[in-house]
Amino acid sequence: MKVFDAHCHLQDPRILSKVPQLIAKAQEVGVAAFAVNGVSENDWPLVNQLSQSYPSSIIPCFGLHPWFVQERTPNWFDTLKHMLDSTPSAAVGEIGLDKGSKGKQIDFTDQIQVFEQQLQLAKDLKRPASVHCVRAFGDLLAIMQRMGPFPTGVILHSYLGSAEMVPEFAKLGAYFSFSGFLMSVQQNKAKKMLKMVPSERILLETDAPDALPKSMSTSDSLFPVEGDSSSNSNAAETDASTLNHPENILIVLTYVASLLEMTKEEVAELSYQNAIRLFSYRDH
């Protein structure tokens, strides 16, 4: 059984020093590939380094996350274009829109401008884009309807939007990626949403080191990771037991399969083939 982690952040300072160990453990349980998403100009080189160290298993993604929009340099877009041009295997991400508690602190007009630039770049380069969306699904849908469709795919990562919006996004080229955050949603709502997603559009992810599967936080079946507090002043404040990593995608897989009333093997194969197809632009 092979699984594809369609969205994670192995370059995150909280787990960066543990990457060899985390990848080895994940591969032991069948996690064959990882789409590693950058979030700002500062970590794009790290993502690139990881993809060079693990060329057969890491798909690099470069993008400016909405939380870091205010920190962009005047040359950020040229730098991004250069990173993508010089890395044919790279996708665009993580990009997006956020009206949540963190996003509210960042001018939404700025967020939209930066997001649209990157979304258009992904379309022009014929590469998929991995999108973060918090409390802004109406805005996102309107932008995608105006700019789309997106034949090379847009990944709605950690999708928690409504079931009703799924067909609208899907017809524009969206894929729906599910993480441990799904386990915090009321089960009937999660099941209804999952059942609306076309089978060829389902992806699985961890969003590691975040999105630790909520209902499993104290379970022995959860695979914890020891945090690395030496490389980040903020990491010392992070409880290592709350850090997620790719091996835990098996918990997401089990939960999604149960809601879809399918076997784990069926969902693993389906989502794996979807991800391979989505990221196959590098083989063209």
Side-chain angles (χ1 to χ4, degrees):
M1 185 174 76
K2 283 185 180 180
V3 190
F4 197 123
D5 188 345
H7 187 105
C8 62
H9 302 278
L10 297 180
Q11 84 285 5
D12 189 294
R14 293 170 290 171
I15 58 172
L16 179 61
S17 69
K18 304 286 191 283
V19 163
Q21 167 196 339
L22 298 184
I23 287 181
K25 285 194 167 192
Q27 288 176 332
E28 282 173 16
V29 299
V31 188
F34 316 80
V36 177
N37 281 252
V39 294
S40 73
E41 292 166 83
N42 292 334
D43 73 0
W44 297 341
L46 276 176
V47 171
N48 200 33
Q49 279 178 349
L50 285 173
S51 70
Q52 290 172 358
S53 299
Y54 301 92
S56 62
S57 53
I58 286 182
I59 305 286
C61 310
F62 306 120
L64 182 58
H65 189 290
W67 292 356
F68 301 95
V69 159
Q70 292 172 313
E71 299 169 22
R72 70 191 187 279
T73 69
N75 295 322
W76 76 272
F77 193 65
D78 288 337
T79 303
L80 178 59
K81 283 198 289 188
H82 173 72
M83 293 293 290
L84 291 165
D85 285 339
S86 61
T87 317
S89 63
V92 176
E94 177 176 356
I95 65 176
L97 302 171
D98 195 311
K99 286 181 172 177
S101 55
K102 281 196 179 183
K104 280 180 187 171
Q105 302 166 32
I106 298 144
D107 184 83
F108 198 63
T109 305
D110 253 10
Q111 288 190 44
I112 289 174
Q113 180 191 356
V114 167
F115 173 64
E116 289 185 352
Q117 278 182 272
Q118 295 179 98
L119 192 60
Q120 187 61 51
L121 180 60
K123 190 172 183 179
D124 291 344
L125 294 177
K126 296 181 170 58
R127 302 194 201 178
S130 196
V131 173
H132 163 109
C133 186
V134 175
R135 297 182 186 172
F137 283 101
D139 302 277
L140 176 62
L141 181 59
I143 289 169
M144 287 181 61
Q145 285 172 331
R146 176 166 48 81
M147 296 179 64
F150 301 90
T152 50
V154 170
I155 303 161
L156 303 183
H157 114 81
S158 284
Y159 184 72
L160 294 177
S162 71
E164 291 75 20
M165 292 181 106
V166 167
E168 295 300 312
F169 280 121
K171 72 169 71 165
L172 293 167
Y175 286 72
F176 303 82
S177 188
F178 298 99
S179 71
F181 284 131
L182 186 68
M183 301 172 86
S184 65
V185 175
Q186 205 245 347
Q187 194 172 94
N188 288 344
K189 182 184 174 186
K191 186 168 187 172
K192 182 184 176 189
M193 184 228 299
L194 272 169
K195 294 271 190 179
M196 289 295 288
V197 177
S199 59
E200 71 275 11
R201 297 278 169 180
I202 291 178
L203 300 171
L204 301 177
E205 64 167 271
T206 58
D207 198 20
D210 297 312
L212 189 74
K214 189 175 180 181
S215 67
M216 310 293 283
S217 295
T218 57
S219 168
D220 290 336
S221 63
L222 187 72
F223 308 105
V225 58
E226 181 186 345
D228 178 19
S229 60
S230 61
S231 58
N232 186 329
S233 58
N234 295 326
E237 300 166 18
T238 303
D239 180 355
S241 68
T242 66
L243 296 179
N244 193 15
H245 70 91
E247 194 174 357
N248 289 324
I249 200 167
L250 296 186
I251 295 168
V252 179
L253 167 63
T254 301
Y255 187 64
V256 169
S258 71
L259 293 184
L260 288 174
E261 298 163 40
M262 295 170 67
T263 67
K264 288 189 289 185
E265 290 75 17
E266 286 170 334
V267 175
E269 175 66 13
L270 191 68
S271 58
Y272 180 78
Q273 292 302 331
N274 289 344
I276 291 295
R277 183 176 66 254
L278 177 66
F279 291 108
S280 66
Y281 58 88
R282 63 186 185 151
D283 298 324
H284 290 170

